[in-house]
Amino acid sequence: MHSFVLGVFSFLIFILSVNGTMALRNTLAVVLLVLLVTLVVRGQANLHSIFKNKEFHWILGSLVVFVLYVLFHSIYLSHEMLWSLSEFKSHIFYPFLYFSMGIVLASYVSKSEQITKETLITILFYSIFIHILYIDLVAIDKLFHDGIMMRRYGGLMDSPVQPNYLTNILLAMIIAEFVYRLRVKKQILKVSNGVLYLLLIACIFSTFVEALRLGDIALVFLGIGSSMAFLYKNNQYSVGVKRFIATSLIIVLTIPLAYNLNTDPRWAKLIETIPLAMDTSNSMHWLDRSQSVPKTESGYEVKGSNYERIAWVMKALEYSIEEPMGVGFGRNAFGHAMEDRHGALAKRGGTAHSSILDLTVGAGVFATLLWLFFVYRVAKVAVNQFETDYDYFSLLSLFLIMGYVGRGFVDANMRDHMFLQFMIILGISVYYMIVKKDKTLVAK
């Protein structure tokens, strides 16, 4: 039974990111859900350990309140109820189910005598890593045969954005593993130190191929966070060794951004673009690309990603102030808000390219505060647990939130399979973090 459960889980994690597999991924999700419910009914899942924990009550309770509020908003406050309900089902309720499945799957493994949490995390890692390995191999082949370094290549996915999220998740797992091994002298991922270094190199190389500015910036924060976690109350190493390791973590995770700065021409005009992009009354190009393009004093035409992202953020903030209760939850709520104000010129399918702002424009300021409160509760437990036990899963939970939720302020990632993947992995990590905390307290 356990092999089948892990097999379905592994295949689901792998297939989630592959384009054109909606029917298959939904089938696998339903099969996994039925299996996990069956295991709970049979008493083969160790849910008692986590549900008796008060911190988990706060985490789960805050998430449930968020989900219920968005449902209430979709029915009673949305400008278009049917649209919001459809969006709620796919992009709020389903992620909640995935988070729950992560909790139950981890609880099943926790109680099993045949498999361990180390096995589960290793299977999770390699199920994602297959995508990154494929991207690296294609890029290396292109480099050797044509002498060209591929950029913005998505592998089995249509866009490089999607594998970049996978790369960042893997790097969060790898860096958490490095810090855990250095601090506690134990391991979760079932690989040797040498293989772990190779996995790190492979993931760093994939960031060059994906060439995503926002993903590279997120890695810099991961480097800073991991160095702080390594240095915190660390008396195992000399001052020189601690400085070397902490600096190395930052440098390694800053390499992708340094490479991007030297290869992406958009950086050169970013500073010049910001003032014009913030002045959305100067031009309507942010609304309709057929409108006149604003120009700098040097004659440079300000357009594209640099201009639009900044302009849309400014308008999203403006819409949120004008209508703090929101227009209705949905991935393209920003487009709906634009249409309300500008009619046919607006793109109904538009996004502010910020999940936090899309959520605020859609479901209102209160919904955003509820979501951030859930994030805060998870982060609070993670920090407290790391302070007392230097636990791998507290690090992983914190790194996942730093990377994914932090990036959600400047990227539209709270949607589709990216959100589902994040929530099921977070559910697994939260379970082991909470259960480990309880065991630690009992031992003391």
Side-chain angles (χ1 to χ4, degrees):
M1 182 66 168
H2 63 273
S3 297
F4 185 58
V5 172
L6 291 181
V8 173
F9 167 71
S10 177
F11 194 22
L12 174 62
I13 291 295
F14 170 78
I15 210 69
L16 266 175
S17 301
V18 180
N19 297 109
T21 61
M22 180 71 74
L24 179 57
R25 71 175 70 155
N26 287 344
T27 300
L28 289 169
V30 170
V31 171
L32 181 61
L33 180 61
V34 171
L35 286 171
L36 293 175
V37 170
T38 303
L39 293 170
V40 171
V41 171
R42 290 180 177 177
Q44 293 179 261
N46 185 26
L47 289 174
H48 176 71
S49 296
I50 193 166
F51 273 98
K52 70 179 182 180
N53 182 276
K54 292 182 179 179
E55 291 291 354
F56 182 69
H57 293 169
W58 276 103
I59 291 173
L60 184 62
S62 59
L63 181 59
V64 169
V65 170
F66 167 70
V67 171
L68 291 177
Y69 178 77
V70 177
L71 175 61
F72 171 83
H73 190 284
S74 299
I75 296 173
Y76 296 104
L77 302 177
S78 172
H79 292 190
E80 293 185 36
M81 182 181 71
L82 294 180
W83 161 69
S84 282
L85 284 175
S86 176
E87 292 287 298
F88 164 81
K89 177 191 69 175
S90 299
H91 305 287
I92 295 293
F93 182 65
Y94 287 172
F96 171 72
L97 281 183
Y98 270 66
F99 179 80
S100 303
M101 286 195 294
I103 294 288
V104 177
L105 177 61
S107 70
Y108 164 65
V109 172
S110 177
K111 192 170 183 179
S112 173
E113 297 180 356
Q114 289 80 29
I115 47 179
T116 63
K117 62 178 181 293
E118 290 81 5
T119 301
L120 176 62
I121 297 303
T122 304
I123 289 173
L124 166 64
F125 183 91
Y126 282 117
S127 299
I128 298 175
F129 183 72
I130 294 173
H131 287 288
I132 305 310
L133 180 62
Y134 176 78
I135 288 173
D136 286 355
L137 291 176
V138 172
I140 291 171
D141 179 71
K142 184 76 171 177
L143 184 61
F144 273 90
H145 285 88
D146 301 332
I148 299 173
M149 181 63 183
M150 298 182 73
R151 285 183 56 80
R152 299 188 70 81
Y153 176 60
L156 298 176
M157 290 147 268
D158 291 338
S159 165
V161 176
Q162 297 165 3
N164 186 250
Y165 279 105
L166 300 182
T167 300
N168 282 22
I169 288 173
L170 293 178
L171 284 170
M173 297 177 73
I174 290 170
I175 298 303
E177 182 74 21
F178 269 120
V179 175
Y180 184 64
R181 291 187 185 193
L182 289 168
R183 295 296 306 258
V184 186
K185 311 301 181 186
K186 296 179 181 179
Q187 67 183 71
I188 295 295
L189 284 174
K190 300 173 76 171
V191 298
S192 65
N193 288 337
V195 172
L196 193 63
Y197 282 112
L198 291 176
L199 295 173
L200 174 63
I201 293 170
C203 289
I204 294 294
F205 181 75
S206 73
T207 65
F208 299 164
V209 182
E210 294 151 2
L212 265 293
R213 294 184 296 175
L214 297 176
D216 295 343
I217 292 171
L219 293 183
V220 175
F221 287 102
L222 175 61
I224 296 171
S226 60
S227 65
M228 292 174 64
F230 171 74
L231 292 172
Y232 179 74
K233 293 184 179 180
N234 191 339
N235 300 317
Q236 302 177 55
Y237 304 90
S238 66
V239 174
V241 171
K242 286 191 293 185
R243 287 176 178 173
F244 173 76
I245 293 176
T247 304
S248 297
L249 286 170
I250 295 174
I251 291 174
V252 167
L253 292 170
T254 303
I255 289 173
L257 181 61
Y259 176 80
N260 198 297
L261 284 167
N262 283 286
T263 56
D264 193 333
R266 292 176 297 177
W267 288 103
K269 296 295 183 180
L270 180 60
I271 300 300
E272 200 173 1
T273 299
I274 292 174
L276 288 178
M278 293 181 67
D279 183 13
T280 54
S281 61
N282 178 61
S283 169
M284 297 295 284
H285 185 72
W286 58 268
L287 176 64
D288 181 1
R289 291 179 180 176
S290 66
Q291 301 290 314
S292 61
V293 180
K295 296 181 180 181
T296 64
E297 292 182 1
S298 64
Y300 170 72
E301 289 189 342
V302 176
K303 57 183 178 179
S305 176
N306 280 349
Y307 167 76
E308 290 178 338
R309 281 179 177 269
I310 297 169
W312 289 336
V313 165
M314 298 305 297
K315 298 308 292 186
L317 290 170
E318 181 183 314
Y319 298 160
S320 298
I321 294 171
E322 291 175 355
E323 202 165 1
M325 291 304 294
V327 300
F329 174 78
R331 291 167 297 172
N332 54 350
F334 178 67
H336 281 241
M338 284 200 297
E339 185 183 50
D340 289 344
R341 292 162 174 81
H342 304 287
L345 281 177
K347 291 182 179 179
R348 168 162 272 228
T351 168
H353 282 274
S354 165
S355 285
I356 298 300
L357 288 176
D358 282 334
L359 177 62
T360 307
V361 171
V365 174
F366 187 59
T368 301
L369 292 176
L370 288 176
W371 169 248
L372 293 178
F373 183 70
F374 162 71
V375 170
Y376 161 74
R377 296 307 309 191
V378 176
K380 180 176 180 290
V381 175
V383 170
N384 290 341
Q385 175 63 6
F386 180 76
E387 287 179 344
T388 58
D389 199 42
Y390 310 124
D391 177 50
Y392 170 84
F393 291 100
S394 62
L395 277 178
L396 180 58
S397 298
L398 193 59
F399 290 168
L400 286 173
I401 284 174
M402 283 173 53
Y404 193 88
V405 179
R407 192 166 168 181
F409 281 89
V410 290
D411 211 351
N413 62 357
M414 198 171 164
R415 55 176 59 205
D416 306 318
H417 68 272
M418 297 180 291
F419 196 24
L420 298 175
Q421 216 155 30
F422 166 73
M423 290 298 281
I424 194 170
I425 296 172
L426 184 64
I428 293 169
S429 188
V430 163
Y431 176 87
Y432 288 124
M433 176 177 69
I434 295 289
V435 170
K436 178 67 178 291
K437 180 178 180 180
D438 269 359
K439 289 181 178 178
T440 303
L441 292 175
V442 170
K444 288 183 178 181

